[in-house]
Amino acid sequence: QVDLVESGGSLVQPGDSLRLSCVASGRPFSPVTMAWFRQRPGKEREIVAAIDLSARNRHYADFAEGRFTISRDSSKNTVYLQMNALSPDDTAVYYCATKPIYEKDYTKWGRGTQVTVSS
């Protein structure tokens, strides 16, 4: 039904900024919630940020609040994650996901993009 493709992951130094992109194709349910998750080495997957495309609501994990920004361009069917002041703790595979706004589970996932923060 819907395909999600992430891009923008890279090797960066502490303090750098990076913007991830997620392009959705196919026929996703609408309205939908889009979200970014991450999985750090040896840790469970955790949500980073979410955005309701219809209501324009944004939610952030505590570690992302004030440092990361989720946004979307509806004309391009694309969701972004702007990450600033990156630290080695942000090293992870970052995933894009989507769900209908009235469902609790994210069932559509991208393959992920690697972000590595190291000196």
Side-chain angles (χ1 to χ4, degrees), residues 97-112:
T98 186
K99 70 173 184 68
I101 61 172
Y102 297 114
E103 296 184 7
K104 294 185 176 181
D105 296 333
Y106 289 87
T107 57
K108 308 296 183 181
W109 298 84
R111 196 177 72 173

Side-chain angles (χ1 to χ4, degrees), residues 8-14 16 18 20 41 83 86-94 113-119:
S10 183
L11 171 64
V12 298
Q13 295 185 347
D16 284 356
L18 202 59
L20 307 181
M83 303 185 293
L86 288 165
S87 74
D89 287 342
D90 296 315
T91 295
V93 177
Y94 284 75
T113 184
Q114 176 71 48
V115 173
T116 301
V117 186
S118 179
S119 298

Side-chain angles (χ1 to χ4, degrees), residues 11-109:
L11 171 64
V12 298
Q13 295 185 347
D16 284 356
S17 296
L18 202 59
R19 189 176 78 159
L20 307 181
S21 299
C22 173
V23 178
S25 62
R27 291 188 174 184
F29 246 42
S30 185
V32 299
T33 300
M34 302 291 294
W36 287 96
F37 289 76
R38 74 181 187 184
Q39 187 164 22
R40 295 180 289 168
K43 301 184 181 298
E44 77 278 6
R45 186 163 56 188
E46 60 188 338
I47 194 166
V48 177
I51 182 170
D52 186 324
L53 299 181
S54 296
R56 295 177 176 267
N57 293 320
R58 292 170 170 84
H59 303 276
Y60 295 95
D62 288 342
F63 65 82
E65 183 72 50
R67 191 162 61 95
F68 293 179
T69 302
I70 188 170
S71 61
R72 68 99 174 87
D73 185 337
S74 60
S75 67
K76 298 180 179 180
N77 238 10
T78 301
V79 174
Y80 305 96
L81 182 68
Q82 177 68 43
M83 303 185 293
N84 298 325
L86 288 165
S87 74
D89 287 342
D90 296 315
T91 295
V93 177
Y94 284 75
Y95 298 91
C96 180
T98 186
K99 70 173 184 68
I101 61 172
Y102 297 114
E103 296 184 7
K104 294 185 176 181
D105 296 333
Y106 289 87
T107 57
K108 308 296 183 181
W109 298 84

